[in-house]
Amino acid sequence: MPSIFSHAIFASAVGSAYTAEPMEMPVRYWALTAACAMLPDVDAIGFAFGVRYDSMLGHRGLTHSIAFALLVGLAVGMFAFGRRTTGLGKLQLVLYFALVTLSHPMLDAMTNGGLGVALLAPFSAERYFFPLRPIEVSPIGMQFFSERGLEVLVSEVIWVWLPALLIYMTARMYRAVKSEK
Ligand SMILES: [Zn+2]
């Protein structure tokens, strides 16, 4: 995985692009955006209980699938917001939270280590990577303040934070141009 914060940062950029008024969005929108982007890695708990990495419930298994993202999107989009608190319809919210949850396995699939993500679980246990995998894989467990940790951080800044900034700036410019018309 890229480290958990990078998942949240990337998803927040997606979140700023998804709405016409990011500043008006309730705190809950941002909190759930970060939470959904981090959620798939709950499966890392399995290591402590002897769940095999390559099994369906192993790390990057079921919780890194499209089906899981859709379920999370459905649950959060349908039930987490009252009417009119976001300016987005239920369907838009469902799609959005499915998208940010899915951004997690997409980033994982661009890392250069570990096993791929089980995108098609529970229907297939096949693990997938993208052909391009520039992101330095983050060590499992928190040996983060090592030299290895620094390498990972630099790689995430380049391959996750910068693209996130680009998404954020593009959305901002788009809104500025649009409001001038
Ligand atoms: Zn992950």
Side-chain angles (χ1 to χ4, degrees):
M1 56 170 179
S3 50
I4 208 85
F5 298 110
S6 293
H7 281 298
I9 287 171
F10 188 82
S12 304
V14 175
S16 77
Y18 198 80
T19 161
E21 312 206 41
M23 294 304 169
E24 310 289 312
M25 295 310 256
V27 174
R28 188 183 299 187
Y29 174 84
W30 298 109
L32 286 168
T33 294
C36 285
M38 298 190 285
L39 182 64
D41 276 348
V42 291
D43 62 8
I45 296 169
F47 283 119
F49 299 99
V51 178
R52 280 177 46 184
Y53 194 161
D54 61 357
S55 74
M56 195 70 94
L57 291 177
H59 185 44
R60 292 184 170 178
L62 189 60
T63 59
H64 288 61
S65 66
I66 297 169
F68 180 81
L70 282 174
L71 276 179
V72 171
L74 210 56
V76 175
M78 292 302 287
F79 303 115
F81 298 92
R83 273 169 187 273
R84 287 198 296 270
T85 46
T86 59
L88 296 169
K90 288 276 184 214
L91 183 63
Q92 284 172 307
L93 285 170
V94 167
L95 275 177
Y96 170 69
F97 284 103
L99 193 71
V100 288
T101 310
L102 195 63
S103 76
H104 180 117
M106 291 296 152
L107 288 177
D108 279 1
M110 283 186 265
T111 59
N112 65 3
L115 294 179
V117 293
L119 271 185
L120 301 182
F123 309 105
S124 156
E126 179 85 28
R127 299 298 188 99
Y128 298 91
F129 276 118
F130 281 114
L132 279 179
R133 295 159 59 187
I135 307 172
E136 197 69 41
V137 76
S138 168
I140 294 165
M142 278 289 151
Q143 310 126 329
F144 220 78
F145 299 97
S146 57
E147 205 171 309
R148 174 97 181 89
L150 189 67
E151 244 174 75
V152 170
L153 187 65
V154 169
S155 148
E156 288 180 6
V157 167
I158 296 172
W159 296 108
V160 183
W161 298 16
L162 283 182
L165 188 67
L166 203 70
I167 292 172
Y168 172 79
M169 295 304 286
T170 308
R172 230 185 123 142
M173 258 151 48
Y174 174 78
R175 280 192 297 271
V177 169
K178 214 174 142 193
S179 69
E180 267 171 29
K181 281 182 187 163

